[in-house]
């Protein structure tokens, strides 16, 4: 893994960097082959004695992301790593189950022996299995992003799917936590 560790209002000391690499490096045990991924870690420190750790690991078939607020930066790193580990275990179980059902031996994650954590993860997945409770169909009207934001606000939604009039591709506008807007576009 290639680490890109950045600090905002905090100096990234060698000890802090070592702690991040040590904790996140333990996630490699979940993968069958060594992971060649960029690990983006953003460490923030606020005036009110609060720390925030954002970790993003974009991979080919999976994007892992964790964001944690805590008073102690080291605890925040530990909690963010635990979140990522839960995401990996959850995804691992789903992927391996899918491949077992299809009879394919190909898998991204190591199998290892069944342990208590695997059983706990299986129970967690059964409880958290996503259930679609409503389905909508609608025509995607060609428009620009400004019109899409207006439509989204009129509907009172936090996102809006539309066809971009310039590119003729499906795009999504969404309201960010900071009150500003984001645009999601597919790669051409």
């Amino acid at each position: 893994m290639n680490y890109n560790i950045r600090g905002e209002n905090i100096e990234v000391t060698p000890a802090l960097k070592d702690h991040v690499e040590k904790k996140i490096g333990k996630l490699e045990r979940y993968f069958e082959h060594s992971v060649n991924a960029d690990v983006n870690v953003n460490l923030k420190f606020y005036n009110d004695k609060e720390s925030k750790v954002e970790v993003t690991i974009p991979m080919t078939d999976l994007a892992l992301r964790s964001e944690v607020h805590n008073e102690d930066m080291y605890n925040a790193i530990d909690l963010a790593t635990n979140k990522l580990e839960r995401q990996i275990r959850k995804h691992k179980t789903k992927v391996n189950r899918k491949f077992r059902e299809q009879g394919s031996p190909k898998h991204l994650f190591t199998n290892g022996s069944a342990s208590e954590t695997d059983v706990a993860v299986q129970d967690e997945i059964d409880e958290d299995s996503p259930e679609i409770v409503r389905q909508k169909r609608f025509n995607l009207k060609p428009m620009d992003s400004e019109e899409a934001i207006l439509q989204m606000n009129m509907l009172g939604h936090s996102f809006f799917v539309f066809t971009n009039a310039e590119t003729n591709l499906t795009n999504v506008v969404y309201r960010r936590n900071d009150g500003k807007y984001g645009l999601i576009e597919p790669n051409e």
Side-chain angles (χ1 to χ4, degrees):
M1 290 186 181
N2 306 316
Y3 294 92
N4 178 18
I5 304 170
R6 204 171 63 121
E8 292 182 28
N9 296 332
I10 186 171
E11 180 185 344
V12 180
T13 63
L16 201 54
K17 184 179 180 199
D18 288 344
H19 188 74
V20 168
E21 291 177 1
K22 177 183 166 195
K23 287 294 185 177
I24 295 176
K26 289 181 179 182
L27 299 177
E28 287 194 50
R29 71 176 184 245
Y30 287 100
F31 298 94
E32 199 168 69
H33 307 288
S34 65
V35 178
N36 186 16
D38 293 324
V39 178
N40 300 310
V41 181
N42 195 14
L43 308 173
K44 294 182 183 179
F45 189 76
Y46 299 106
N47 291 338
D48 57 355
K49 306 267 185 196
E50 182 181 45
S51 300
K52 177 180 175 184
V53 175
E54 297 173 355
V55 181
T56 308
I57 308 173
M59 298 181 339
T60 307
D61 299 327
L62 178 66
L64 301 170
R65 187 173 192 300
S66 176
E67 182 176 317
V68 174
H69 295 265
N70 196 298
E71 291 179 1
D72 181 46
M73 184 63 73
Y74 287 94
N75 282 343
I77 293 167
D78 295 347
L79 292 170
T81 305
N82 291 342
K83 256 187 177 179
L84 291 170
E85 189 173 7
R86 282 193 307 274
Q87 288 176 19
I88 291 171
R89 287 194 319 231
K90 204 174 207 182
H91 187 74
K92 171 188 169 183
T93 304
K94 287 181 182 180
V95 167
N96 287 342
R97 181 187 307 147
K98 177 181 174 184
F99 284 127
R100 268 195 313 272
E101 289 170 359
Q102 294 176 352
S104 173
K106 182 182 175 185
H107 48 83
L108 175 67
F109 301 101
T110 59
N111 277 335
S113 61
S115 66
E116 290 179 24
T117 57
D118 291 336
V119 172
V121 169
Q122 183 63 39
D123 292 342
E124 183 179 306
I125 287 175
D126 290 342
E127 293 171 4
D128 294 341
S129 293
E131 178 184 351
I132 297 174
V133 294
R134 187 172 183 191
Q135 184 173 349
K136 289 185 177 183
R137 292 184 184 270
F138 57 94
N139 294 326
L140 297 178
K141 178 185 168 195
M143 60 180 76
D144 62 10
S145 57
E146 288 181 21
E147 185 179 349
I149 291 171
L150 289 173
Q151 291 287 331
M152 176 183 68
N153 288 334
M154 284 193 313
L155 293 170
H157 291 171
S158 57
F159 69 93
F160 187 78
V161 181
F162 68 102
T163 299
N164 190 317
E166 294 176 12
T167 62
N168 207 28
L169 296 172
T170 303
N171 288 190
V172 177
V173 289
Y174 63 96
R175 186 176 301 107
R176 296 168 35 100
N177 290 339
D178 61 6
K180 296 179 181 174
Y181 300 100
L183 175 68
I184 300 173
E185 300 176 301
N187 288 333
E188 292 185 39

